[in-house]
Amino acid sequence: MEYLTSMKLNTSDDKIIEKFDPKKAELRDPEEGLYGIKIVKPNSIKYFYFSESLQKRQLESKARAVLKKLKEAKEIQKAIVNKKKLPKKFRIDNELIEIEYSFRTKLEELSDEEAIELLKASLINGREGFFCLKSSKDLTLEEALKIYRRKDSIEKIFHSLKNEIQIKPLRVWSDDSIYGAIILGFIAQLFISLMRYEFEDLKHRSTKFIKKSLKNLTLTVNFLKNGVKQYIFANFDKINSLFVTRMSEIS
């Protein structure tokens, strides 16, 4: 059987990355800054790519992770200095477990700039922007990427519908039931995508967290004696508050 799959990069690929020269590689997409080379082996072919736009996104993601880790370390350091209990999110939340905490952060001997550089060194490995495909068939760089992206988009759609949107029912016996479940799933996914487009804070939030936030939001309608309806919203959080605020502005 023929195959085309994605390979996880590891230390064995670092030598290829070190020698990768965009000037010698084949340019596949000028707008994305996408370059690629083929590595032919006896039983398979590797399609090795570097994307400038992917590198930018991955470095931005790791920069957010650096700031998050620094913030967590500062919270712990503050608790240590003030001789207080650690914030609850750093403790084990189980009444049946007794544990004594002993924490020490490196912030005592490092400035913020030095701490950030240390975190960068641990998170950034030099593989940012690179990805590799492997196939049993000899394709062009463009063909391999096009086929994989089509396959990958279908897999992501199924993953989102099944595991994030969680369309129900999954067991059906008629075409209409299948179409109905998929349409509802599509509308839900479209609604969440529009929220990501509308609110900057949600662009990097996963679908399941946005969905959970919206499900927690409740509306109670009180019918008063004079026929007036009283609407009471409850269970607000950072995500669903954005949605309610925008809806109130529109209305």
Side-chain angles (χ1 to χ4, degrees), residues 5-234:
T5 186
S6 173
M7 290 186 64
K8 184 177 180 180
L9 298 179
N10 52 45
T11 52
S12 64
D13 298 301
D14 290 344
K15 291 182 179 179
I16 301 174
I17 292 173
E18 289 175 8
K19 296 178 181 179
F20 192 91
D21 185 359
K23 294 179 181 178
K24 297 180 180 179
E26 186 179 348
L27 178 62
R28 298 309 321 160
D29 189 337
E31 292 185 6
E32 187 180 344
L34 181 64
Y35 305 85
I37 59 173
K38 284 174 66 173
I39 303 171
V40 181
K41 294 190 174 183
N43 298 320
S44 64
I45 298 174
K46 282 186 177 181
Y47 305 86
F48 210 88
Y49 300 90
F50 170 70
S51 167
E52 292 174 352
S53 62
L54 176 62
Q55 183 188 51
K56 181 182 178 183
R57 292 195 303 271
Q58 290 179 338
L59 288 175
E60 287 174 348
S61 175
K62 291 189 177 182
R64 291 192 296 271
V66 165
L67 294 177
K68 181 181 178 182
K69 285 178 177 287
L70 180 61
K71 182 182 177 182
E72 289 176 347
K74 284 188 173 183
E75 286 184 59
I76 294 174
Q77 180 66 23
K78 185 178 178 180
I80 293 171
V81 170
N82 296 329
K83 296 182 179 180
K84 293 183 178 180
K85 286 185 176 181
L86 289 175
K88 191 173 181 180
K89 63 181 178 180
F90 298 116
R91 289 181 271 145
I92 296 176
D93 187 18
N94 190 327
E95 294 79 4
L96 300 177
I97 299 176
E98 291 183 2
I99 185 169
E100 292 184 3
Y101 291 89
S102 176
F103 279 89
R104 176 183 173 276
T105 73
K106 295 181 180 180
L107 296 181
E108 294 177 338
E109 60 231 29
L110 296 174
S111 65
D112 281 4
E113 291 76 14
E114 290 172 330
I116 288 173
E117 290 303 316
L118 182 64
L119 289 169
K120 282 183 179 179
S122 66
L123 291 174
I124 298 174
N125 54 27
R127 299 172 199 151
E128 292 77 21
F130 288 92
F131 61 98
C132 182
L133 305 178
K134 184 178 180 181
S135 177
S136 59
K137 191 173 181 180
D138 189 359
L139 305 167
T140 66
L141 287 163
E142 186 176 2
E143 287 173 337
L145 189 60
K146 186 176 181 180
I147 292 170
Y148 181 77
R149 281 180 170 173
R150 286 174 60 193
K151 181 174 75 74
D152 187 54
S153 64
I154 294 170
E155 289 177 351
K156 285 179 178 176
I157 290 170
F158 274 105
H159 169 78
S160 179
L161 289 174
K162 288 175 64 178
N163 301 311
E164 295 179 334
I165 298 299
Q166 293 180 323
I167 58 173
K168 298 287 178 66
L170 293 178
R171 290 186 177 182
V172 294
W173 286 268
S174 70
D175 290 347
D176 288 342
S177 297
I178 295 172
Y179 297 147
I182 291 175
I183 288 171
L184 289 175
F186 171 77
I187 293 171
Q189 187 69 67
L190 175 63
F191 185 79
I192 290 173
S193 297
L194 288 172
M195 287 186 67
R196 284 204 191 96
Y197 178 79
E198 186 74 19
F199 306 111
E200 184 70 26
D201 293 345
L202 301 184
K203 289 195 177 197
H204 303 291
R205 289 276 187 170
S206 70
T207 299
K208 66 178 180 180
F209 287 122
I210 297 175
K211 188 188 79 167
K212 183 179 178 181
S213 171
L214 294 176
K215 285 180 70 176
N216 289 339
L217 182 65
T218 58
L219 170 63
T220 303
V221 182
N222 289 335
F223 295 89
L224 305 180
K225 291 182 179 180
N226 55 5
V228 176
K229 296 179 183 178
Q230 184 182 50
Y231 298 91
I232 303 172
F233 289 92

